[in-house]
Amino acid sequence: MTAPVTTDSAPDEASVAADGGRGATRRFGTLALAAAVVVGLLLGYAGGLLTPTVTRPGDSSAEAGFARDMSTHHAQAVQLGLMAFQQGEDPEVRQIGGDIATGQQGEIGTMQTWLRLWKLDPTGDQPAMAWMPDGAGLVKDGLMPGMATPAELTTLSGSRGRQFDVLFLQLMIRHHLGGIHMIQGILDEGHDDDVLTVAQTMKNTQQTDLTNLQAALKRLGG
């Protein structure tokens, strides 16, 4: 019988056994999540195309401001969610992160499609939060309500294990609380029925997320 051939590029059996194959599984899972995020974005674009455009919101409308600002706000939630899915130790933290990343990426697609259908620039020239009556006071150091600072993102990126899980949950809870305040703003100030319908769905989803995030944080003793 011919002896097995060993090469330098073959996986080290001890290292594979040490992590139980979790590294390979996590890499595969990350690729699958990335694909899901892309699909979510495409579905979001498709959903936005279904919005009637008989009356188009103007450039300074609450609807336009909400779509622009919430797209930016959501983008950080996607970033946080992907970090949780890739670096989280707790299975529930990884699941929550993946769900938030895919869901909010789809909503970004919807909001960006609205802006194109309304013939509006995706960024505009209005200051952040200008569409909300109390918006100017909500922006801190250029960040909208609940958003993590660059320093906080750096700390999260360098964290591992339970420390990462707890910090992610804390940042995501704050992020969602800020997002819900913004969503309530468009529910109060907006007039486009389709935008209001999507915004209400966003609020309901984020409130459910908050319940799960807070329960996970309590379980982990954060």
Side-chain angles (χ1 to χ4, degrees):
M1 179 181 295
T2 304
V5 177
T6 301
T7 67
D8 292 338
S9 61
D12 181 82
E13 292 181 3
S15 64
V16 171
D19 74 352
R22 287 191 299 271
T25 300
R26 185 161 297 192
R27 284 193 296 274
F28 177 79
T30 300
L31 291 174
L33 178 63
V37 167
V38 172
V39 171
L41 181 62
L42 294 175
L43 290 174
Y45 283 137
L49 290 171
L50 299 177
T51 303
T53 56
V54 176
T55 302
R56 292 194 179 105
D59 192 58
S60 61
S61 66
E63 284 82 0
F66 172 76
R68 289 162 173 157
D69 287 350
M70 191 54 79
S71 289
T72 300
H73 202 270
H74 270 26
Q76 189 181 84
V78 172
Q79 179 186 7
L80 290 168
L82 289 173
M83 290 173 68
F85 184 82
Q86 188 170 24
Q87 295 179 225
E89 179 178 75
D90 185 78
E92 185 182 10
V93 166
R94 297 188 68 231
Q95 181 65 53
I96 290 173
D99 289 345
I100 288 173
T102 53
Q104 297 216 0
Q105 189 69 24
E107 290 171 355
I108 290 172
T110 296
M111 292 184 288
Q112 290 299 304
T113 300
W114 288 343
L115 291 169
R116 283 200 300 275
L117 291 174
W118 299 338
K119 310 296 184 185
L120 299 178
D121 186 85
T123 54
D125 56 7
Q126 296 290 317
M129 306 298 295
W131 54 277
M132 283 182 68
D134 62 345
L138 296 175
V139 179
K140 305 295 184 183
D141 298 323
L143 297 173
M144 288 176 281
M147 292 183 71
T149 67
E152 288 171 332
L153 291 174
T154 298
T155 299
L156 180 66
S157 179
S159 300
R160 295 294 182 272
R162 178 184 174 279
Q163 181 186 22
F164 175 93
D165 293 339
V166 168
L167 182 56
F168 163 75
L169 292 168
Q170 291 170 336
L171 292 176
M172 200 70 245
I173 287 170
R174 192 182 75 196
H175 195 280
H176 266 12
L177 288 172
I180 288 173
H181 184 72
M182 293 170 65
I183 295 168
Q184 189 59 52
I186 192 61
L187 292 173
D188 293 339
E189 301 294 326
H191 302 285
D192 185 281
D193 289 341
D194 295 283
V195 172
L196 296 178
T197 297
V198 172
Q200 185 62 59
T201 300
M202 285 184 188
K203 182 179 178 181
N204 296 343
T205 300
Q206 292 197 27
Q207 287 175 329
T208 299
D209 286 346
L210 271 176
T211 299
N212 296 332
L213 289 162
Q214 290 164 343
L217 183 61
K218 181 178 180 180
R219 176 174 57 79
L220 292 175

